[in-house]
Amino acid sequence: MATLFVTGGAGFIGSAVVRYLMENTDWRVINIDKLTYAANLSSLGDTLTNERYYLAQVDICDQTALNELFAQYQPDAVMHLAAESHVDRSISGPADFIETNIVGTYTLLEVSRHYWQTLASSKRDRFRFHHISTDEVYGDLATDDPAFTETTPYAPSSPYSASKASSDHLVRAWHRTYDLPVLITNCSNNYGPWQHQEKLIPLMINRALAGKALPVYGDGQQRRDWLHVDDHARALHRVLTQGRIGNTYNIGGNNEYSNIDVVHEICRLLDEVAPRAGGSYSEQISYVTDRPGHDQRYAIDNSKITNELGWKPSESFSSGLRKTVVWALGMHKHSSFKEAIADADNDITTHREGQL
Ligand code: NAD
């Protein structure tokens, strides 16, 4: 049985990865998570009581604690997802992004390198450090530009994307300089169950159901590619087990839509499955001042992972979004969920300068 370290396994994507691994492998998973505001242990469900799962509440900037975990559990691989991940928060307070995304990744790389160098040759050959990153490192595309490939130059716009770009560079340098066997993946916007309320899709669904305004930045014409989180988890497992050392793989869902189209589609689905008295949810849409430095378009060319590793997304955006809306409706039956999203909503207001 292999032992895998997953950092950020209580977050949105990390928890989907942990759930996927519990169901599809016999691996032991050690979840290294600081449990920040973004963590939600409920997202791990039955995993919490699985004897192959262990939670270490540790900050990835804490070198001593990481050294102890590596010595104790002797991992075969590391999947690194822990990060500060919300662009609005990176604008209102960049310090945590520099600390976790850059210093934390550096600390994890150094601890991993020292551990890896002491391994016996067969385990040393098998070891992998898989860094999970974002398409936002590539910056902004014009309407007619070709989609991002793995060789698109980096041009990050926000403190968030700049901190993720820095971490990608560190990971590549640790491969080039020290031969650490790394893999890097850059994915598009994820969506699905258990995403934090502050991100576009849950924000719109939950605020629509609460009868609140649906705040759309600028003219809403910013375009994103949408990837269902379970497709992403499957892709990450494929890259970890079959990816070529030192390579980058872009992961996208082939679902490019403007933000305003996404919001209209959410309203249409809600009108169908939870109609409200007096009209369509789309009447709650309100346009607010655009986010500073807002990128206009991201699009992912995922032909490398598709051709080389045989992965492709299984969820269309319409099927995935419908499932996500239905899932959120089910969660709204629980008063604790409604209280949690109301609290999160107040917090988000402060990061969007009151624009909700
Ligand atoms: P998230 O914000 O939902 O979860 C992040 C997790 O990391 C949380 O559980 C948090 O407690 C943990 N964490 C934060 N700081 C930590 C620290 N210092 N030490 C240990 N744990 C810490 O993020 P997510 O949406 O699940 O994203 C996971 C990864 O995927 C991130 O690296 C992010 O940059 C990347 N990514 C996300 C998306 C997306 O659409 N969500 C898209 C592209 C890339």
Side-chain angles (χ1 to χ4, degrees):
M1 180 169 62
T3 296
L4 179 69
F5 279 6
V6 175
T7 72
F12 166 49
I13 301 172
S15 64
V17 168
V18 174
R19 293 193 305 268
Y20 179 87
L21 296 174
M22 284 292 138
E23 283 164 24
N24 295 283
T25 72
D26 64 355
W27 300 350
R28 180 170 68 149
V29 173
I30 316 300
N31 176 11
I32 302 174
D33 198 300
K34 184 180 174 182
L35 301 184
T36 69
Y37 81 95
N40 184 350
L41 289 172
S42 303
S43 62
L44 288 162
D46 293 345
T47 297
L48 294 172
T49 53
N50 191 313
E51 58 190 17
R52 288 188 287 121
Y53 168 83
Y54 176 76
L55 171 69
Q57 187 176 353
V58 162
D59 186 332
I60 54 163
C61 300
D62 184 342
Q63 187 165 352
T64 308
L66 287 179
N67 273 326
E68 283 167 12
L69 288 173
F70 276 76
Q72 184 180 353
Y73 291 105
Q74 303 280 309
D76 298 282
V78 175
M79 286 177 99
H80 175 35
L81 296 102
E84 288 292 334
S85 70
H86 188 45
V87 175
D88 288 336
R89 284 179 189 264
S90 83
I91 295 169
S92 62
D96 287 348
F97 290 71
I98 305 304
E99 191 63 19
T100 287
N101 300 359
I102 305 179
V103 179
T105 300
Y106 155 73
T107 309
L108 190 63
L109 280 166
E110 272 299 75
V111 172
S112 300
R113 174 171 78 91
H114 288 297
Y115 162 78
W116 169 73
Q117 284 171 337
T118 64
L119 293 174
S121 64
S122 63
K123 186 153 174 154
R124 192 182 146 106
D125 290 346
R126 281 200 313 272
F127 186 81
R128 297 287 182 275
F129 184 102
H130 181 174
H131 177 62
I132 283 77
S133 191
T134 168
D135 61 355
E136 298 193 30
V137 297
Y138 300 122
D140 204 9
L141 287 174
T143 317
D144 298 332
D145 284 344
F148 301 132
T149 70
E150 288 77 2
T151 55
T152 301
Y154 276 30
S157 306
S158 70
Y160 164 66
S161 53
S163 69
K164 291 296 292 188
S166 307
S167 66
D168 294 10
H169 290 318
L170 290 173
V171 173
R172 277 196 192 91
W174 259 242
H175 174 59
R176 173 93 193 230
T177 307
Y178 304 111
D179 279 338
L180 187 70
V182 308
L183 297 153
I184 299 177
T185 48
N186 296 82
C187 68
S188 57
N189 280 33
N190 281 224
Y191 72 102
W194 298 110
Q195 188 164 28
H196 194 278
Q197 157 76 355
E198 65 194 3
K199 303 287 169 65
L200 180 76
I201 288 178
L203 183 82
M204 295 301 164
I205 298 173
N206 293 327
R207 286 181 65 90
L209 289 171
K212 295 179 176 173
L214 307 180
V216 173
Y217 275 135
D219 59 7
Q221 290 305 322
Q222 309 85 0
R223 297 180 73 78
R224 303 289 181 259
D225 174 71
W226 291 95
L227 172 67
H228 193 276
V229 71
D230 293 338
D231 276 333
H232 188 199
R234 197 165 44 80
L236 294 179
H237 175 255
R238 187 72 59 93
V239 171
L240 178 68
T241 52
Q242 296 175 29
R244 280 184 294 141
I245 290 174
N247 272 241
T248 294
Y249 295 88
N250 282 351
I251 309 173
N254 297 332
N255 292 306
E256 198 188 324
Y257 292 99
S258 69
N259 286 348
I260 188 65
D261 284 349
V262 170
V263 176
H264 275 298
E265 183 58 11
I266 289 168
C267 292
R268 197 191 62 72
L269 284 165
L270 284 172
D271 287 342
E272 181 190 320
V273 297
R276 75 172 174 102
S280 167
Y281 288 95
S282 58
E283 290 165 17
Q284 291 166 227
I285 293 173
S286 80
Y287 291 90
V288 298
T289 310
D290 208 353
R291 169 193 275 167
H294 207 173
D295 287 334
Q296 191 59 28
R297 177 174 169 241
Y298 307 133
I300 283 256
D301 176 344
N302 66 13
S303 50
K304 181 174 175 184
I305 186 172
T306 303
N307 295 337
E308 209 176 277
L309 303 183
W311 172 88
K312 61 178 196 289
S314 62
E315 202 73 71
S316 73
F317 191 52
S318 80
S319 66
L321 191 60
R322 177 177 289 273
K323 283 183 196 165
T324 307
V325 166
V326 169
W327 179 86
L329 266 176
M331 295 305 284
H332 270 258
K333 297 195 179 105
H334 304 287
S335 55
S336 57
F337 181 80
K338 285 194 359 189
E339 280 162 26
I341 59 172
D343 287 349
D345 218 35
N346 291 334
D347 199 21
I348 294 160
T349 312
T350 61
H351 295 287
R352 295 180 57 147
E353 297 177 346
Q355 282 205 92
L356 274 181

